[in-house]
Amino acid sequence: MVLRDVTYWAIVLRILTAVICGGAIGLERGLKNRPAGMRTYMLVCVGACLIMLTNQYLFQVTGAGDPMRLGAQVVSGIGFLGAGTIIVTRHNQIKGLTTAAGLWSAAGVGLALGVGFYEAALVAGFAIFVVLTLLQRWDDRMHSKTRLVEIYVELEQGTTVGYFIRGVRQLDLEINNLQMDAEITSESNVRGMIATIKAHRRSDHAQMMEKIRKIKGVTYLEEL
């Protein structure tokens, strides 16, 4: 078929489709002001598409070589860009995993478009868009009602860690992990901690946070 071979119209169609698919996938990330936004996703998708077009063109012209070699380099090489979007906050919270996975997936869509596999590319692009946008609320709702919640808490001067732990236990909750924030503790009059709180059953995190916030001595509380 004409659209499967490297022709002028096939090139235009594949690159334009890569721009649309990459932009649609990156739209949600861009609206949330993530490190990689809509333009980044577009560039990744178009770049992967161009590499596969070049790969197919060389194989089509010379009739020799491995037609998948350049595509394989994209799959492994896109990792450096994804790794740059993953950061660890000062509260040991990891951010950017979804963005990195989205970039890798966008590269896959670009590779499929570049080789002329339109059906898979469009279906995969739509699936990625649904995962990043429509399933966001479901994912947030699921995580907001788990038994475990990780929090950052600051205690006023004079409130001991032991007193806070006993206060949490009186709420019928457990502390699975406790890590002191040395920077906050040493540079201010408050004591900062990162704690993993465990409930005996699935509970609403907002309610758990409200109970913990009422413990005497707690000056600041944030869910991580």
Side-chain angles (χ1 to χ4, degrees):
M1 296 178 62
V2 177
L3 293 180
R4 306 292 181 180
D5 298 327
V6 180
T7 63
Y8 175 78
W9 291 111
I11 293 172
V12 173
L13 176 62
R14 294 180 194 183
I15 292 181
L16 285 179
T17 308
V19 170
I20 295 172
C21 288
I25 294 172
L27 179 62
E28 185 267 348
R29 297 285 93 186
L31 292 175
K32 290 190 174 181
N33 199 27
R34 293 296 189 261
M38 184 173 65
R39 292 186 301 168
T40 304
Y41 276 82
M42 282 182 177
L43 292 174
V44 168
C45 196
V46 171
C49 178
L50 177 60
I51 290 174
M52 281 305 290
L53 275 168
T54 305
N55 202 27
Q56 186 182 358
Y57 173 78
L58 291 174
F59 182 75
Q60 185 175 310
V61 171
T62 63
D66 184 0
M68 298 306 297
R69 179 171 295 179
L70 291 179
Q73 298 306 311
V74 173
V75 173
S76 59
I78 194 65
F80 88 93
L81 188 60
T85 67
I86 301 175
I87 61 173
V88 180
T89 67
R90 60 187 297 271
H91 294 155
N92 289 337
Q93 185 181 11
I94 299 176
K95 290 187 175 183
L97 288 175
T98 302
T99 301
L103 287 172
W104 187 79
S105 301
V109 172
L111 290 175
L113 286 171
V115 80
F117 196 8
Y118 303 101
E119 298 87 347
L122 293 175
V123 172
F126 178 75
I128 297 169
F129 176 79
V130 169
V131 170
L132 290 176
T133 56
L134 302 182
L135 296 184
Q136 178 67 44
R137 291 184 180 180
W138 178 81
D139 187 55
D140 292 341
R141 188 179 298 110
M142 180 182 65
H143 282 90
S144 67
K145 294 184 179 298
T146 57
R147 294 177 60 191
L148 292 174
V149 55
E150 191 170 14
I151 64 172
Y152 171 74
V153 60
E154 291 181 359
L155 304 178
E156 64 182 9
Q157 190 177 25
T159 302
T160 64
V161 177
Y163 179 85
F164 174 73
I165 294 175
R166 288 191 295 271
V168 171
R169 289 176 176 173
Q170 290 176 358
L171 298 175
D172 199 24
L173 301 172
E174 298 179 8
I175 297 183
N176 277 11
N177 185 43
L178 190 65
Q179 178 182 346
M180 302 298 299
D181 191 329
E183 181 179 344
I184 292 294
T185 301
S186 60
E187 295 185 0
S188 63
N189 294 326
V190 297
R191 177 172 295 169
M193 300 180 297
I194 299 172
T196 302
I197 307 297
K198 180 181 179 181
H200 295 290
R201 62 184 64 86
R202 288 172 58 90
S203 305
D204 183 83
H205 288 186
Q207 296 178 1
M208 293 172 59
M209 297 282 288
E210 188 61 30
K211 292 179 180 179
I212 297 173
R213 190 173 284 108
K214 293 180 179 179
I215 297 177
K216 185 178 179 181
V218 174
T219 59
Y220 179 78
L221 184 64
E222 175 187 0
E223 181 177 359
L224 301 179

